[in-house]
Amino acid sequence: MMIPELPAYLTKLGGREYVGLIIALFTLTAGVSRPFSGKITDTVGRVPVMAFGSIVCFVCGFLYPYLLTVWGFLTLRLIHGFSTGTKPTATAAYVADVVPANRRGEAMGTLGLFTAMGMSLGPAIGSWLADDYSMNVMFWTSSAFALLSIGILLRMPETLVNRQPFRFSLLRLKKDEIFDKQAVPPFTVQLLQAFSSGVVLTVIATVSMSLGIANKGLFFSVYTVASLAVRLLFSKASDRYGRVPVLLVSSTALAISMVLLTITDPADPNAYLWFWSAAIVYGMSWGMNSPTIQAWTADLSDEATRGRAMATMYIALEAGIGLGAVASGWLLNHFAGEAGIDASFILSGVLAIVAVLYLSWKWRQRQPPETHRMNDADEMALVDGEP
């Protein structure tokens, strides 16, 4: 809801040179908190970790209007990152718990469907509230939505069987609890693809304004609607054809979207065509990527350490977004005119192509083939003929 408006908001506070940190600081704490959230998810439970993430989101949204200095704002962005560092990790583990292994791609697609609905409505609503009312109204509305999510979580049953009470000693991580080696393939692909998200989140508002598009959140709405459509129509694709083939298609689409954004020039009469086409193709790529990479991570993980595997995959997401935001912010400040924006999109496209090459190599290997790693319950369900 608030992301499209934050660059202009920080600029008004006098922090234009720190625009790249809006996303980078958020993803820094999100990435740092992932190993901890993974361990707590696997020991204390899925629901408490989800609730913690929603509470952080609620508190931070409420406090933005009261921190009116650049450093106060950036500090709050740093704290706000704990919401993303905890909630998605536990949510993905929760979904993997409650669905059979041979339908994980479909289930993650359904989860992503609702995520996409929120992401498609949020930016447009946020820009409308900021333009017609005020930034403070936008911040408080965001906080109110987080409060509603807490109410839903209070009614959700816990899925972790062998739970432990929380104790601070659980926050001491051993070396093998920080990173799940089984999740290296999805970690690599996620890192390469997520760079583009950091770039888009940082730069796209500027591109929208250069084209005369008043609502800076419309690009996000269009790409998430496209993402939503892909999830509706192709949610079972990775269950049917495999995770790697679907990720190959999504990485290729991502590269194409970056090319379209690179050739978007305000002086070009076809600029709107390239811009909105890029939004659609970008949304299609993430509509395929997100549920597939989550299902792939669940496939490769052990049930007892599923939270850690999900956390590892999300570390790549946060690192990629953070690096993309910092890099694009630096390029904007060091290159005049459109050069910094074009360089950001070109770099994102190159990394997407690297992802295609890596996935092609994984596809050629196929030793062992990328089949689902099922637990005993899943295997018994298949033997008994249940879905």
Side-chain angles (χ1 to χ4, degrees):
M1 183 176 290
M2 62 179 69
I3 282 174
E5 298 298 323
L6 291 184
Y9 181 74
L10 181 59
T11 299
K12 289 181 180 178
L13 292 178
R16 183 185 183 280
E17 65 270 30
Y18 302 112
V19 164
L21 295 181
I22 290 173
I23 304 300
L25 290 176
F26 186 90
T27 55
L28 175 64
T29 45
V32 169
S33 62
R34 291 291 184 191
F36 299 96
S37 68
K39 183 176 181 180
I40 301 301
T41 295
D42 288 333
T43 52
V44 177
R46 319 309 197 194
V47 175
V49 176
M50 286 191 280
F52 176 81
S54 291
I55 290 169
V56 170
C57 206
F58 163 69
V59 172
C60 288
F62 184 80
L63 291 178
Y64 277 106
Y66 301 103
L67 296 177
L68 300 178
T69 65
V70 171
W71 293 109
F73 173 85
L74 293 177
T75 299
L76 197 54
R77 289 301 293 168
L78 194 68
I79 297 171
H80 202 162
F82 283 109
S83 64
T84 296
T86 52
K87 177 79 167 61
T89 301
T91 301
Y94 190 99
V95 172
D97 288 344
V98 298
V99 297
N102 64 326
R103 297 186 67 184
R104 279 182 185 143
E106 181 184 359
M108 293 301 179
T110 303
L111 171 64
L113 179 66
F114 288 97
T115 303
M117 288 172 65
M119 290 181 66
S120 64
L121 294 172
I125 292 174
S127 290
W128 167 67
L129 290 172
D131 292 340
D132 286 19
Y133 296 94
S134 69
M135 288 292 294
N136 289 354
V137 170
M138 183 195 71
F139 288 135
W140 288 328
T141 304
S142 172
S143 181
F145 275 106
L147 183 62
L148 290 174
S149 75
I150 296 170
I152 295 170
L153 287 165
L154 292 175
R155 301 180 60 85
M156 289 175 60
E158 179 57 57
T159 59
L160 184 65
V161 178
N162 299 315
R163 300 179 62 190
Q164 302 178 28
F166 175 80
R167 56 188 187 279
F168 284 100
S169 61
L170 290 174
L171 298 178
R172 291 198 299 267
L173 296 176
K174 299 176 183 177
K175 187 181 298 184
D176 61 350
E177 292 175 332
I178 297 175
F179 190 90
D180 194 315
K181 294 181 180 179
Q182 295 178 109
V184 168
F187 174 93
T188 303
V189 176
Q190 185 76 283
L191 182 65
L192 293 168
Q193 291 186 336
F195 186 92
S196 67
S197 291
V199 170
V200 167
L201 290 170
T202 304
V203 169
I204 210 66
T206 303
V207 178
S208 297
M209 288 188 291
S210 72
L211 294 174
I213 300 170
N215 190 319
K216 296 182 287 294
L218 283 181
F219 180 92
F220 297 96
S221 297
V222 170
Y223 98 68
T224 46
V225 168
S227 172
L228 190 152
V230 168
R231 295 170 201 265
L232 275 173
L233 297 173
F234 302 104
S235 63
K236 300 179 182 180
S238 73
D239 291 331
R240 182 175 301 173
Y241 303 111
R243 315 303 186 201
V244 170
V246 173
L247 288 172
L248 271 168
V249 175
S250 72
S251 297
T252 302
L254 181 60
I256 293 171
S257 70
M258 292 300 105
V259 172
L260 291 171
L261 285 171
T262 302
I263 64 175
T264 299
D265 184 347
D268 185 349
N270 294 317
Y272 285 101
L273 173 63
W274 307 136
F275 185 74
W276 295 121
S277 296
I280 293 170
V281 177
Y282 185 71
M284 292 173 63
S285 71
W286 280 101
M288 291 180 278
N289 171 64
S290 295
T292 304
I293 212 159
Q294 289 174 349
W296 195 19
T297 304
D299 292 345
L300 298 174
S301 67
D302 293 321
E303 188 173 0
T305 57
R306 184 167 290 154
R308 184 173 70 199
M310 291 296 177
T312 299
M313 181 268 295
Y314 277 116
I315 287 172
L317 178 66
E318 309 303 346
I321 293 174
L323 289 170
V326 170
S328 57
W330 184 88
L331 290 168
L332 282 174
N333 287 323
H334 287 78
F335 290 90
E338 301 292 323
I341 294 175
D342 290 344
S344 300
F345 292 139
I346 290 170
L347 182 56
S348 298
V350 169
L351 292 178
I353 292 171
V354 173
V356 171
L357 296 175
Y358 174 78
L359 287 163
S360 299
W361 172 69
K362 292 295 294 182
W363 180 243
R364 286 195 301 271
Q365 276 189 323
R366 285 188 291 177
Q367 295 294 331
E370 50 146 12
T371 55
H372 305 296
R373 175 176 294 172
M374 301 181 188
N375 57 32
D376 293 340
D378 291 325
E379 292 177 345
M380 289 301 297
L382 290 177
V383 169
D384 294 339
E386 298 175 5

